Amino acid sequence: MKAIRKVGVAGGGLMGSGIAQVSAAAGFPTVVREVSQALCDKSRQSIEMVLAKGIERGKVTDAQRKSTLEHLTFVTPVQDLADADLIIEAVVEDLDVKN
């Protein structure tokens, strides 16, 4: 079995951003692909907000927050997922979009 060195997440909405956060927190370089820069920014902001709440609750340290964010990259070209060892599809439940 091939080792996972890089994770790709197609879709940065609620589910996708959560998956990406867990992957990045586990230490995997993680690429989140969205259809626009605005959605990339929204996904990153969502993850930053969840991490900030984790710090407030004492469940996440600042070092963990920083490491998680360092492992995340947000992109729009689908080709940027090409070198991922694992790609998780988390786009909206619309067959046309999924295709």
Side-chain angles (χ1 to χ4, degrees):
M1 179 177 218
K2 184 177 178 181
I4 297 171
R5 294 179 312 264
K6 185 175 182 181
V7 175
V9 180
L14 183 62
M15 185 182 298
S17 63
I19 292 167
Q21 179 184 336
V22 169
S23 172
F28 293 104
T30 304
V31 178
V32 179
R33 192 272 174 167
E34 259 301 350
V35 295
S36 70
Q37 187 58 49
L39 289 174
C40 286
D41 295 344
K42 184 176 179 180
S43 181
R44 181 176 178 88
Q45 290 168 354
S46 173
I47 292 170
E48 288 174 347
M49 189 171 55
V50 169
L51 291 169
K53 287 181 183 179
I55 289 173
E56 287 175 16
R57 295 179 179 145
K59 297 188 182 272
V60 176
T61 66
D62 191 53
Q64 289 170 320
R65 179 194 65 80
K66 183 178 178 185
S67 176
T68 298
L69 293 174
E70 287 174 349
H71 283 95
L72 287 167
T73 305
F74 297 84
V75 300
T76 56
V78 72
Q79 297 86 348
D80 288 356
L81 297 175
D83 64 341
D85 300 299
L86 172 68
I87 299 174
I88 300 166
E89 178 269 315
V91 299
V92 297
E93 294 301 319
D94 181 319
L95 191 55
D96 289 334
V97 174
K98 287 181 182 287
N99 287 331

